[in-house]
Amino acid sequence: MKSLGKDMSWELPARSMTRAAEAERLEQPTEALECWRYSPVDEIEWERYQKSCAATNDDLWARGLEILSTFGAVDATVRVDGGRLIEGSSAVPGLTVAQTEAVGEFLREEDESLLTLGTLLAPGRVEIKVEAPLRRLGILTAGTGDDAGLWSWLRLSVAPDVELEVIHVDLLTGSVMHLPILEIVGQERSAVVYRHQLEHDRKALSLGYVRFRLGAEASLELDAASAHQGYTRVRTDGILEGTRAQAVIRVGYVVGAHERVDYRTFITHDAPSTTSNLLYKGVVNGDGTSIYTGMITITPLGRGSEAFQTNRNVLLSEDALAWSVPNLDIQISDVKCSHASTVGPIDEEELFYLASKGFPAEEARRTLARAFFADMGDTFAVEQQRLRAAVDEKWEAGA
């Protein structure tokens, strides 16, 4: 098995040179690893992505701003191009944005060599600290190029009692391999809504990591809409380490021909009376593939906690495929937990009902596919609009 850090020509930035030995020991991930099961990771040609990204053009930034504007006005905007901070709103009270060297620092997770590699190869860590209430913060991250590797590391820290909504638009064009790392730290009684919008070229490859940690009575709502992608993988690790911490994750995805989405969730309840609720829903067409595997762990410290995870997929063609494997690891009694998953075609009774109302067969199927995301909540309305538009686009393209 090849070493990611030794056999490839990626160069460590100066801040990581003291960790060269760790980088050389990192092996390529394989589908044999549990956290990569069902994935096409063995098909990735790592040697291909050796070039550097080009500067993002104005048209792509304009596209990002257009998506950002659908959520309303923002109080501040942060832009990161090719993993480097190029714009931060330093004039906003209580907001600090800076790119730090993070000399010698890296993250480690068993069987996730790419996480460590990403923190070593990122040009720095973009630190966003919010210490006063902020209505809405916009983040635009972008990468473009041909056969290019892109490494980015972003950390959001929210002070106690602060409320914040973040709109993060991630833009990829060309044959770029992007390894984005996002950390969210919510301190006591903070309330964060993080809305992540992925706009990726079909030629792009994104292998991302989201890690969050919540203090006592802190809450995090993490919403994401994935509508255009080549192969996109997101692993989310969350720790509820403070009493009555709450996490809600809602993800909607539309997968067309030759596209694959891959979600892995690992949520740990490590304090009393914590709550998590995960909902992943997707429409898969053509020969597209969706993958979801999840693990909720409630430790002996998690007495009185509640945890729920749901994954639902509707398949619009015979070639569409969805893997769905939710799991629970409950180490204490006096908790409430559940998991559910469904994979299948559009409900025949619903099709019959629409046919009785005069809907042509194809229009009925399309209408039900568009309505699949309707139960994800009123605050998911903008994401639902993007997902419905993606259903229409892929339908008309025959994908």
Side-chain angles (χ1 to χ4, degrees):
M1 184 178 297
K2 289 187 177 180
S3 163
L4 285 170
K6 184 177 181 180
D7 296 331
M8 306 302 166
S9 61
W10 299 314
E11 294 185 8
L12 291 175
R15 68 176 189 83
S16 298
M17 290 306 296
T18 59
R19 299 295 186 181
E22 282 89 349
E24 290 187 359
R25 287 195 292 267
L26 296 175
E27 296 183 339
Q28 294 179 19
T30 74
E31 191 184 352
L33 298 172
E34 181 62 32
C35 59
W36 287 92
R37 184 177 294 186
Y38 314 115
S39 78
V41 66
D42 292 340
E43 302 171 16
I44 297 175
E45 300 174 5
W46 304 100
E47 299 89 345
R48 173 182 175 184
Y49 302 101
Q50 304 297 303
K51 299 178 182 178
S52 299
C53 283
T56 299
N57 60 48
D58 291 342
D59 289 342
L60 189 57
W61 288 125
R63 174 58 180 155
L65 290 170
E66 179 185 356
I67 296 173
L68 190 61
S69 68
T70 61
F71 293 88
V74 298
D75 297 323
T77 303
V78 174
R79 285 199 299 163
V80 178
D81 191 9
R84 292 178 171 80
L85 178 67
I86 62 171
E87 178 185 349
S89 301
S90 57
V92 177
L95 174 65
T96 304
V97 183
Q99 182 140 9
T100 65
E101 286 296 314
V103 175
E105 291 189 37
F106 67 99
L107 301 173
R108 175 176 288 158
E109 194 74 48
E110 185 179 358
D111 293 340
E112 287 285 0
S113 56
L114 292 183
L115 173 66
T116 301
L117 183 70
T119 54
L120 290 173
L121 288 176
R125 184 172 60 220
V126 177
E127 300 265 9
I128 302 176
K129 297 181 179 180
V130 183
E131 299 177 321
L134 195 63
R135 181 185 58 173
R136 187 174 292 126
L137 171 67
I139 301 176
L140 298 177
T141 53
T144 185
D146 293 318
D147 298 339
L150 168 58
W151 326 93
S152 61
W153 188 2
L154 178 69
R155 177 182 289 175
L156 171 68
S157 301
V158 183
D161 301 300
V162 168
E163 296 183 5
L164 170 68
E165 180 182 21
V166 178
I167 312 298
H168 181 176
V169 181
D170 187 50
L171 306 155
L172 291 180
T173 61
S175 52
V176 176
M177 181 185 71
H178 187 198
L179 208 162
I181 297 166
L182 168 64
E183 296 180 274
I184 302 173
V185 179
Q187 299 185 44
E188 294 81 2
R189 301 174 303 281
S190 61
V192 179
V193 176
Y194 201 103
R195 307 176 79 170
H196 202 177
Q197 311 302 302
L198 307 180
E199 189 80 3
H200 294 173
D201 192 304
R202 274 191 176 184
K203 294 183 291 184
L205 169 65
S206 180
L207 307 169
Y209 295 88
V210 177
R211 300 165 68 86
F212 66 82
R213 189 171 72 248
L214 301 179
E217 299 183 41
S219 67
L220 171 65
E221 178 182 315
L222 182 59
D223 296 334
S226 180
H228 303 89
Q229 60 275 310
Y231 171 44
T232 297
R233 178 185 189 262
V234 180
R235 170 171 171 152
T236 301
D237 291 78
I239 301 178
L240 287 70
E241 61 183 13
T243 303
R244 292 185 293 280
Q246 301 179 49
V248 174
I249 302 178
R250 296 180 298 182
V251 176
Y253 47 91
V254 178
V255 187
H258 314 305
E259 297 178 342
R260 288 181 257 197
V261 295
D262 183 347
Y263 295 103
R264 317 282 170 152
T265 60
F266 298 84
I267 308 301
T268 300
H269 294 249
D270 202 32
S273 303
T274 53
T275 304
S276 67
N277 195 339
L278 282 59
L279 175 60
Y280 285 72
K281 295 192 72 175
V283 172
V284 188
N285 202 1
D287 62 352
T289 301
S290 72
I291 303 165
Y292 174 80
T293 66
M295 175 64 76
I296 289 178
T297 300
I298 300 184
T299 74
L301 297 177
R303 184 177 302 278
S305 294
E306 299 184 0
F308 312 97
Q309 61 177 327
T310 303
N311 176 228
R312 303 199 184 282
N313 300 274
V314 62
L315 308 181
L316 300 183
S317 73
E318 293 183 355
D319 294 327
L321 180 64
W323 298 96
S324 182
V325 189
N327 298 281
L328 299 172
D329 178 14
I330 311 304
Q331 303 171 11
I332 190 173
S333 58
D334 188 26
V335 298
K336 184 185 294 185
C337 301
S338 71
H339 61 74
S341 69
T342 58
V343 176
I346 291 176
D347 189 274
E348 290 294 334
E349 290 186 4
E350 294 177 344
L351 287 172
F352 179 79
Y353 174 79
L354 289 183
S356 71
K357 298 297 182 180
F359 279 72
E362 195 69 6
E363 186 60 28
R365 294 180 70 251
R366 180 170 176 169
T367 298
L368 291 173
R370 296 178 83 255
F372 187 65
F373 304 100
D375 64 349
M376 297 188 74
D378 294 339
T379 57
F380 203 73
V382 177
E383 288 85 351
Q384 290 179 40
Q385 184 177 354
R386 289 195 67 226
L387 293 167
R388 287 194 296 267
V391 169
D392 289 339
E393 179 183 326
K394 294 179 190 296
W395 200 288
E396 291 168 3

